[in-house]
Amino acid sequence: DPLRVCDAALPLPERPEPMSPLLEVAQISTIPSSEFIAALGGCYEKSPWVAERAHAAAPFASLAALASALREAVDGATDAERLALLRSHPDLAGKAALAGELTSESTAEQCHAGLSSLSADELARFTKLNEAYTARFGFPFILAVRNANKATIFAAFERRVTNSAAAELAEAVAQVHKIAWMRLNELVRPNPTGFLTCHVLDTARGCPAAGMRIELKRRVESSNGGGDSWAEVGSFLTNEDGRIVGGAGPQDGGGGRG
């Protein structure tokens, strides 16, 4: 029964186990190379050499700068190294998934995309597409599937299998970078920058909504596996232009400015 085997290989709990607290960019910028690699080595599938080379660019001014250093390590690698990186990725719903041999990152991503609940026909379709794609390009089909579903994955698969070799190599590398960015965001917290704006309009009267109370809250992740909570950052009243003026700044986790 392919469905039963796939479900067993890719378990998707109703609620994931609580993650460790996110690292700060400033913290990542100062840790030794060995700790840097241990923390970020999984961003690029089974390729800790990417993090090892990116560490040389520390310190990092922002999460974007950190991601850029990782990206540049890949883009500056040899063709053989980039090909090995692509080949480190597993097939979607492939043999490694069925055998429970995926990395924890790939397991979570494929589960979120619904690949742990395939029918026998869907599994057969994935197998056929995987084989055709790999035979054509020499590396597995790679797609950032965390926010995708089976329909979008199949559509991308069937579209890209007809690409030229050069176009598909570029697309595969771009998808690798996208996957790495998503993984990085689960490990490192971006610097608190920018602000939130608010402009409320009374559509019934066709004018700004003055005197409306706005509450700004921040989601607080549970550290013991319980439900998340919401912490109030501030409470504001809109002015005669329907805006909030002043308010919480980035240091408080949010903000409001007119």
Side-chain angles (χ1 to χ4, degrees):
D1 184 344
L3 177 59
R4 179 180 59 79
V5 173
C6 190
D7 278 341
L10 296 176
L12 179 60
E14 293 184 2
R15 179 181 179 84
E17 290 297 318
M19 297 180 62
S20 300
L22 295 181
L23 297 168
E24 302 291 341
V25 175
Q27 179 183 1
I28 278 289
S29 294
T30 59
I31 61 177
S33 175
S34 58
E35 294 180 23
F36 186 90
I37 296 168
L40 304 183
C43 289
Y44 284 83
E45 186 79 7
K46 296 182 179 179
S47 302
W49 59 266
V50 178
E52 181 180 14
R53 295 180 189 180
H55 181 263
F60 309 100
S62 64
L63 182 60
L66 172 57
S68 179
L70 292 165
R71 183 186 187 100
E72 288 172 5
V74 173
D75 293 344
T78 66
D79 291 344
E81 288 172 326
R82 277 194 299 275
L83 181 59
L85 170 58
L86 296 181
R87 289 175 174 171
S88 295
H89 281 260
D91 286 334
L92 296 180
K95 293 179 180 179
L98 295 174
E101 298 174 350
L102 299 181
T103 62
S104 58
E105 294 90 352
S106 287
T107 297
E109 289 156 0
Q110 294 202 25
C111 283
H112 278 291
L115 303 189
S116 62
S117 55
L118 297 176
S119 66
D121 288 344
E122 288 171 332
L123 184 58
R125 187 178 176 190
F126 265 111
T127 299
K128 182 178 179 180
L129 287 168
N130 279 326
E131 291 175 350
Y133 183 96
T134 303
R136 178 174 173 80
F137 298 112
F139 50 82
F141 176 76
I142 301 171
L143 181 68
V145 299
R146 178 174 295 277
N147 297 320
N149 56 42
K150 288 181 280 189
T152 57
I153 295 170
F154 278 132
F157 228 140
E158 293 175 345
R159 172 181 59 82
R160 286 172 49 188
V161 76
T162 63
N163 278 349
S164 67
E168 191 52 27
L169 178 62
E171 177 64 24
V173 172
Q175 290 295 324
V176 166
H177 287 315
K178 186 175 181 180
I179 292 168
W181 170 251
M182 292 179 176
R183 292 179 179 181
L184 184 62
N185 272 268
E186 293 192 336
L187 298 170
V188 183
R189 188 191 312 279
N191 292 334
T193 57
F195 58 88
L196 297 177
T197 64
C198 181
H199 189 199
V200 185
L201 299 177
D202 186 337
T203 56
R205 299 181 180 182
C207 62
M212 176 174 287
R213 182 169 296 281
I214 305 293
E215 291 185 354
L216 180 63
K217 296 183 178 181
R218 179 177 64 247
R219 185 175 179 178
V220 180
E221 295 183 0
S222 171
S223 60
N224 58 11
D228 294 346
S229 59
W230 292 88
E232 182 172 324
V233 174
S235 179
F236 316 94
L237 284 178
T238 57
N239 62 14
E240 60 184 12
D241 192 34
R243 301 179 185 273
I244 54 176
V245 180
Q251 69 275 12
D252 299 314
R257 286 169 57 173

